[in-house]
Amino acid sequence: MSTRELSLDDRLGLDKYEIDEEHSHIQVDQSLCLRCQLRPCLTVCPAAVYVAVDGEIVARYENCLECGTCQIACDTGGQGGITWNPPQGGFGIVFRYG
Amino acid sequence: MEKFDAIVVGAGPAGATAAYLLAQAGMQVVVIERGATPGSKNVSGALLFSQIYNELFPNFWESAPVERAIVGHSIAFLGQETSVTLDYRDLDPTHTPHNAYSVLRACFDPWMAQQAEDAGAMLLPGYTVERLLVENGRVTGIHAGGDDLLADVVVVAEGTRSQLLKQAGLRDDFYAGDVSIGVKEVIALPEEIITNRFQCLTADEGVAYTCVGHTGGVEGGGFLYTNKETLSVGVVVKIDALYKSQRQPHEILDEFKSHPFINRLVHGGKVVEYSAQAIHRGGVHLIPQLYGDGYVVVGSAARLLLNNVMTLRGMDVAVASAAAAAKAILAAREKGDYSRASLAAYEQFFKQTDVYQDMVTFKETYALLENKRLFNVYPDLISGVMDDMFSVKARPGKKAYRALRDNMHDELTLWQMLKDMAQIGRGLVR
């Protein structure tokens, strides 16, 4: 049995989340993203939370691993369109191994 | 309104250590943790280097949930279809504490937090601190769960992102080249298979691999650590190099895992968790302002990490900084003065630690890790030379220098290599 055929979705499916159905902890300012050539968020997120849909950046926040990479990449390599705040207490990723 | 002696934001190793030491000295301490349990938001490799932990919690490995004692450290250069490995083994691994233990943060962090609670600290899990309360430049408390909580001093142990400091205008922006992303899988294998595969005598012994090469040409490296019944396998790459490469983190992890060297070690395993964490690259020149009126910053929130290629140390550096901060806070309590000037003692205490000295010693490593050839050229070069030296082929053999020159192809000039050797020398040798 090899471990290399797992898709990203397969991997995310292994993780445990307490999803906050009402609030996204990620805000995206489309006006800034429109000016962004590089769009580093589409590359660096280990959960591919950010996807381009009809030219807009959509954040599938429920998949977020809360690593902090998007904010740093967006602030330096992008236009600062991402505002990431920690999910409300108890919500979000729940690592069982860590 | 409720007022505490100290509020600690975050129950990771830094926060738990500060809370433990302050509570032990009789201060009224509350620790606020956004995870439902400590460790549930935390990811490390994770190797825990024992020295500092053993000073604080003597014989911790006997009661703490550590996975395996690390009795072997290896560095592996991964060429295209080859590997060159340098193994260090302690062949009489009976003396304790061992240099390092592998841990899983979701299991280990609750133990750390429990030590703080046993010392009298109050733990509030499941609350996200929304902002620091700042009055005239002085941090007076925090806002969480709809309430203001006040304290004489706030210990900011919020981790890599240090969102609260950013919001409060108390830190500079990060540059993506100074931060890496670690992506990791935990892979389950039967305990006995791990013990045998890694040539360990018992299930309490384990090994750690640091790997260079085969990370998609992106500056960084890979690691593989043995836990009891799992392996922790991951890559750590620079964030700016990653977005310039246009490759996604999991693809780099796939490439690393697909290397025959790694593939054989994880063979038959089942991935049970996928995780990621931004990691400051560390470096003495990146240490920010560590204190101010009414607050101190400890651990990853203060970008305190140590990477000397051989090891990547976060948790023990975090603990050392928290212990220095706690010492300064206790001195400040004596004076009844939690001002910036009073808490400045934290920096002095931290600079006296071995950890800080190590950061100074390895300060040139930062530049070394910017050198792309370390990741793109040398792993194949070393493999090529070894191949020429070991192999008997249908052509005359070569001595080392000839083998080296032949393997340099057009990718490297002798002058460039000499400069790189000098850089490696400055970083790691002398």
Side-chain angles (χ1 to χ4, degrees):
Chain A
M1 177 173 57
S2 171
T3 51
R4 55 189 279 204
E5 294 91 5
L6 286 184
S7 69
L8 180 58
D9 282 342
D10 290 339
R11 288 182 171 115
L12 297 174
L14 298 169
D15 288 349
K16 184 183 169 195
Y17 294 92
E18 291 292 338
I19 296 169
D20 186 343
E21 304 282 359
E22 286 165 25
H23 301 101
S24 169
H25 62 286
I26 300 171
Q27 264 68 51
V28 180
D29 184 338
Q30 301 299 341
S31 65
L32 293 172
C33 299
L34 273 176
R35 302 209 303 251
C36 189
Q37 295 287 315
L38 191 62
R39 299 196 157 183
C41 59
L42 299 180
T43 306
V44 300
C45 176
V49 162
Y50 301 93
V51 286
V53 179
D54 300 331
E56 294 207 332
I57 300 292
V58 177
R60 303 182 296 178
Y61 72 95
E62 64 279 6
N63 289 335
C64 180
L65 297 168
E66 301 174 31
C67 69
T69 306
C70 59
Q71 185 79 74
I72 295 164
C74 179
D75 287 350
T76 301
Q79 296 289 327
I82 292 172
T83 303
W84 192 102
N85 283 302
Q88 285 305 298
F91 284 115
I93 187 78
V94 182
F95 289 116
R96 292 158 301 133
Y97 296 87
Chain B
M1 193 179 302
E2 197 89 58
K3 181 164 181 184
F4 297 90
D5 294 338
I7 292 172
V8 179
V9 182
T17 299
Y20 168 75
L21 292 171
L22 298 178
Q24 204 178 41
M27 287 179 79
Q28 196 194 11
V29 184
V30 61
V31 187
I32 303 173
E33 162 58 45
R34 70 186 182 89
T37 55
S40 62
K41 296 290 185 184
N42 300 1
V43 178
S44 290
L47 289 191
L48 186 149
F49 291 90
S50 308
Q51 176 64 31
I52 294 160
Y53 276 86
N54 195 38
E55 282 173 24
L56 269 173
F57 308 106
N59 296 9
F60 69 92
W61 64 92
E62 289 171 2
S63 51
V66 296
E67 295 287 317
R68 289 177 188 246
I70 300 302
V71 298
H73 291 269
S74 303
I75 182 155
F77 295 90
L78 306 182
Q80 277 313 314
E81 295 289 331
T82 54
S83 62
V84 177
T85 313
L86 186 64
D87 285 317
Y88 165 75
R89 276 267 178 163
D90 183 351
L91 294 173
D92 177 25
T94 50
H95 43 84
T96 52
H98 294 93
N99 177 48
Y101 294 86
S102 53
V103 298
L104 293 164
R105 294 288 300 275
C107 309
F108 184 77
D109 287 18
W111 180 86
M112 284 286 287
Q114 188 63 52
Q115 306 311 301
E117 280 193 275
D118 290 349
M122 189 202 300
L123 177 68
L124 276 183
Y127 285 92
T128 297
V129 174
E130 285 157 44
R131 61 178 187 273
L132 298 172
L133 302 176
V134 186
E135 275 177 36
N136 304 322
R138 182 190 186 89
V139 174
T140 57
I142 55 109
H143 183 86
D147 283 321
D148 287 350
L149 294 183
L150 302 180
D152 289 332
V153 62
V154 175
V155 178
V156 182
E158 57 176 331
T160 307
R161 196 176 295 104
S162 54
Q163 184 83 6
L164 296 170
L165 291 173
K166 183 184 179 186
Q167 258 176 23
L170 294 174
R171 71 158 170 86
D172 296 332
D173 283 341
F174 300 146
Y175 165 61
D178 292 333
V179 193
S180 297
I181 173 178
V183 195
K184 171 179 142 177
E185 283 176 358
V186 177
I187 300 176
L189 271 172
E191 181 181 285
E192 205 180 298
I193 289 185
I194 294 177
T195 303
N196 292 336
R197 189 174 290 181
F198 294 90
Q199 298 174 15
C200 299
L201 287 177
T202 71
D204 293 326
E205 286 183 6
V207 296
Y209 288 88
T210 303
C211 304
V212 181
H214 223 72
T215 49
V218 183
E219 295 99 308
F223 62 87
L224 186 152
Y225 306 144
T226 56
N227 304 312
K228 209 83 165 175
E229 297 176 311
T230 55
L231 304 174
S232 293
V233 181
V235 292
V236 177
V237 291
K238 277 178 66 189
I239 291 178
D240 63 339
L242 182 65
Y243 62 66
K244 284 174 196 159
S245 78
Q246 299 276 310
R247 301 196 57 192
Q248 293 185 293
H250 69 278
E251 295 172 344
I252 310 252
L253 178 61
D254 279 343
E255 175 164 337
F256 177 65
K257 282 178 64 189
S258 74
H259 192 281
F261 181 83
I262 299 298
N263 195 23
R264 284 163 204 214
L265 294 176
V266 304
H267 178 74
K270 184 174 177 301
V271 180
V272 291
E273 189 169 82
Y274 174 66
S275 57
Q277 178 61 52
I279 314 164
H280 290 294
R281 287 180 57 201
V284 79
H285 66 293
L286 292 175
I287 298 178
Q289 182 69 36
L290 294 173
Y291 57 89
D293 283 321
Y295 75 97
V296 293
V297 191
V298 294
S300 292
R303 316 178 73 175
L304 296 173
L305 268 98
L306 178 60
N307 184 353
N308 68 356
V309 183
M310 314 294 274
T311 56
L312 180 55
R313 291 164 55 185
M315 287 181 285
D316 72 317
V317 178
V319 166
S321 71
K327 198 169 153 189
I329 289 169
L330 293 174
R333 182 177 64 156
E334 289 296 311
K335 292 183 280 185
D337 175 8
Y338 293 97
S339 68
R340 179 190 183 90
S342 178
L343 293 171
Y346 164 30
E347 188 168 322
Q348 291 160 23
F349 292 142
F350 181 62
K351 285 186 171 173
Q352 290 162 11
T353 61
D354 292 343
V355 161
Y356 179 78
Q357 287 310 314
D358 288 350
M359 289 179 85
V360 173
T361 301
F362 290 105
K363 66 179 192 297
E364 303 286 349
T365 317
Y366 186 90
L368 175 60
L369 294 171
E370 300 268 293
N371 188 335
K372 270 185 172 261
R373 287 185 293 278
L374 192 65
F375 316 102
N376 293 345
V377 177
Y378 289 114
D380 277 313
L381 177 62
I382 297 167
S383 296
V385 171
M386 296 297 267
D387 183 39
D388 276 352
M389 300 296 290
F390 279 118
S391 304
V392 177
K393 291 180 179 164
R395 55 173 167 69
K398 301 167 191 171
K399 290 186 188 175
Y401 181 71
R402 188 72 252 160
L404 176 67
R405 290 307 301 259
D406 288 353
N407 277 285
M408 281 160 69
H409 308 296
D410 295 331
E411 287 168 324
L412 193 66
T413 64
L414 188 60
W415 172 236
Q416 212 164 34
M417 191 180 74
L418 289 173
K419 282 202 296 186
D420 289 343
M421 290 305 120
Q423 190 182 42
I424 292 168
R426 277 196 304 278
L428 299 175
V429 184
R430 63 183 295 265

